[in-house]
Amino acid sequence: MRRVLSVSLLLVAPLVLSGCLRETRPEGDTLPSLARALFDTLEAEGALASAYVVDAQTGEPLFTHREHVRLLPASTLKVVSTASVLSALGADFRFQTPVALEGTLDGGLFLGDIVVDPTGDPSLGSWRFPETALACEQVADALQARGIRQWRGQVRVRGAKEAEFPFGPGWAWDDAAYAYSAAPTAFVFRENVVDVALSRPAGADCAQPPTLQVTPAFATLTAVVGVDTNAERPSLACVRQRGGPGVRCLWRSTADTCPRSAAVRLSVDDPEQLFSACVEAALLARGIPRLPVTLEAPTPRQPSVPAPLVTLVSPPLSELVKVTNKESLNLYAERLGLRFARELTGTESYGALRTALSEELTRRGIPSRDLRPVDGSGLSRYNLATARGLVRVIFTSLREAYATALLDSLPVAGQDGTLAARPVTADTAGHIRAKTGTLSGQRCFVGVVDRPGDTRHPRVVFALMLGNMDDGTALPANEAFDRFAAGLVTLPLR
């Protein structure tokens, strides 16, 4: 029989916190009583709840519920990878990507290549930051400043990996076509994604192939779009083509509806090609064309030697971590994790990442039974974590120099990031910071809650992990989080 929560447990009422007189609350209303009602409701339907709350200053456990149970952490694992890289490199670290010329300059003609040495910067060419969005323009301006009016050669990325699909272990193939699962290649450009828009003119037959537009205009994407006019509901789904580049999409519509437009952001196979096309377009806009390789050119008077052209600099690590956690960007988390692995082991690989994270967790006193990370983003279905382990990552981070950078990266309920749409009250607004995590059947939350006026426990660190969830659960995961987090702000902890 499905349990029904009483009204007194559904509403978090004003109360008396230690050290602060507030309005009267229902008798017996405490965090443990609220949590028991929530978790009993979930577990009566076959879901599994795990929670752990500690004092942020002392680490004293204040509430526990199955805190030792291991579940999929999903994107809450980003807290582990971002805290680790902040610890190793510091909040002020910046990626620096050098670009050089390899060739000779004959008058205003450059004969040779524009060569990039990749450093793993996930933000290179990204639209999110002013200093990264104009990467191609920076390269073109530097060539123009050298007096170059024409060039013949190519844009090359030195040491680009041979693997076509360098995805993380345990990633789902169904995810591979989409932007949130873009491959964390050693060279990243424009977050390794392009925007695809599908459209049909008014009155067009839904059974006919739609018009496809790719943004940016210089991008190339191998995409095959089919249509299904007898679906249960309209949708657009894409998968990466096996055994070859590009994607295959299916635009579904119902028998009585014909959508006119749809959009999706897809991952690209070759970020080097995307960057090359971007640089060539920027040069052409400045009147510097690339000559065909078949066109005869004068014999160089000097030997070809590398010459530094420009260094593309990322925002500080604190800003990269902020967008990683607030927007839950998988590519950023993977690249930051792999950069952390290189710092500790000298190698960028998922094997090295597992080794480096294991050493980091040991340094923090977190046993492997509480955290077993295999990637940086949480996309892998091989990751395992306990609520206790996730809490310990944040608790130990609060004692390190980068604590503010990590805290500032967590979404704030009702304000920004993945918690922007969560409801808050006058009592809870601005006091709940948490990283969310979502995989099929799994919902996780880990973060920090401030308790205004509670002199004994003014700040707590918490984790709430929900497993075996489905769309039919009487108490949705977000609602359970909202009530639990509000209780952490306003209710007595005992």
Side-chain angles (χ1 to χ4, degrees):
M1 180 176 179
R2 182 172 294 172
R3 302 188 182 190
V4 180
L5 296 179
S6 67
V7 173
S8 65
L9 295 179
L10 291 177
L11 301 177
V12 179
L15 59 144
V16 178
L17 291 172
S18 61
C20 179
L21 181 63
R22 307 185 70 178
E23 297 179 20
T24 305
R25 59 177 172 80
E27 188 64 30
D29 207 4
T30 64
L31 179 70
S33 63
L34 171 69
R36 278 195 298 271
L38 295 175
F39 298 164
D40 284 352
T41 300
L42 290 166
E43 292 180 347
E45 293 192 331
L48 180 62
S50 173
Y52 194 54
V53 181
V54 305
D55 183 278
Q57 183 61 39
T58 67
E60 174 192 358
L62 303 172
F63 176 80
T64 64
H65 179 82
R66 304 188 193 280
E67 73 280 5
H68 62 284
V69 172
R70 290 188 290 186
L71 295 169
L72 290 176
S75 282
T76 59
L77 193 70
K78 291 180 175 68
V79 173
V80 181
S81 56
T82 54
S84 298
V85 72
L86 281 168
S87 178
L89 300 178
D92 295 329
F93 171 83
R94 294 174 186 259
F95 288 90
Q96 297 191 40
T97 303
V99 181
L101 299 179
E102 289 192 0
T104 60
L105 185 60
D106 192 315
L109 173 64
F110 172 64
L111 302 172
D113 296 338
I114 302 168
V115 182
V116 183
D117 281 300
T119 58
D121 179 4
S123 69
L124 184 64
S126 173
W127 57 91
R128 299 179 194 276
F129 309 100
E131 58 264 64
T132 62
L134 300 177
C136 299
E137 285 74 10
Q138 287 179 267
V139 173
D141 287 343
L143 260 79
Q144 191 174 48
R146 292 285 185 94
I148 296 172
R149 297 186 299 275
Q150 292 179 314
W151 70 293
R152 193 184 73 164
Q154 60 182 331
V155 179
R156 289 192 292 112
V157 177
R158 201 186 308 277
K161 290 186 177 179
E162 298 295 331
E164 292 186 22
F165 306 115
F167 300 128
W171 289 16
W173 180 261
D174 290 349
D175 297 336
Y178 296 104
Y180 65 80
S181 193
T185 48
F187 175 76
V188 173
F189 181 68
R190 204 180 178 274
E191 300 184 5
N192 288 359
V193 301
V194 296
D195 296 291
V196 177
L198 306 180
S199 62
R200 298 184 178 103
D205 186 350
C206 249
Q208 297 302 311
T211 300
L212 184 149
Q213 180 177 354
V214 178
T215 303
F218 54 75
T220 58
L221 176 72
T222 304
V224 178
V225 181
V227 295
D228 175 6
T229 59
N230 294 298
E232 293 183 4
R233 60 181 183 274
S235 65
L236 175 61
C238 301
V239 296
R240 185 171 291 280
Q241 297 194 105
R242 294 182 182 271
V247 297
R248 181 178 294 275
C249 299
L250 184 62
W251 196 8
R252 299 182 177 92
S253 58
T254 63
D256 57 350
T257 63
C258 184
R260 294 300 163 193
S261 62
V264 63
R265 182 165 284 170
L266 299 176
S267 62
V268 297
D269 300 315
D270 191 349
E272 296 90 351
Q273 183 181 25
L274 191 63
F275 178 68
S276 176
C278 180
V279 169
E280 188 169 351
L283 286 169
L284 195 58
R286 286 156 178 76
I288 306 175
R290 184 173 72 154
L291 302 176
V293 293
T294 55
L295 186 67
E296 184 177 352
T299 303
R301 302 175 190 172
Q302 306 170 27
S304 175
V305 294
L309 178 65
V310 65
T311 297
L312 305 174
V313 182
S314 78
L317 184 57
S318 57
E319 291 300 313
L320 301 182
V321 166
K322 184 178 293 185
V323 297
T324 301
N325 286 331
K326 285 193 181 290
E327 300 183 44
S328 205
L329 300 179
N330 295 317
L331 175 69
Y332 280 61
E334 295 297 343
R335 286 309 321 164
L336 295 181
L338 290 167
R339 180 62 181 83
F340 166 71
R342 174 149 62 97
E343 189 69 16
L344 264 67
T345 70
T347 304
E348 281 195 6
S349 69
Y350 280 101
L353 177 59
R354 289 193 295 272
T355 298
L357 288 176
S358 177
E359 293 178 3
E360 175 68 7
L361 294 173
T362 298
R363 181 184 75 83
R364 295 169 183 258
I366 303 172
S368 59
R369 66 177 177 273
D370 277 346
L371 265 176
R372 192 190 73 181
V374 301
D375 70 357
S377 67
L379 270 178
S380 175
R381 276 65 174 174
Y382 300 154
N383 294 306
L384 286 175
T386 66
R388 184 171 56 197
L390 291 173
V391 163
R392 288 287 299 175
V393 171
I394 291 186
F395 173 75
T396 52
S397 295
L398 293 178
R399 275 132 197 83
E400 302 204 8
Y402 61 86
T404 299
L406 185 65
L407 278 179
D408 287 347
S409 76
L410 299 178
V412 181
Q415 290 187 18
D416 59 22
T418 55
L419 294 183
R422 303 318 311 153
V424 293
T425 66
D427 286 335
T428 62
H431 298 313
I432 301 167
R433 295 176 176 270
K435 180 72 195 77
T436 59
T438 303
L439 282 175
S440 299
Q442 311 288 316
R443 291 300 304 274
C444 303
F445 310 86
V446 58
V448 174
V449 165
D450 291 321
R451 297 170 52 82
D454 185 350
T455 57
R456 187 175 180 187
H457 304 297
R459 172 175 281 180
V460 297
V461 182
F462 78 95
L464 173 63
M465 305 183 76
L466 305 175
N468 303 328
M469 300 290 290
D470 62 33
D471 293 339
T473 305
L475 181 63
N478 278 346
E479 190 174 342
F481 164 72
D482 292 338
R483 298 181 190 176
F484 185 75
L488 283 174
V489 177
T490 61
L491 294 179
L493 299 172
R494 305 289 192 187

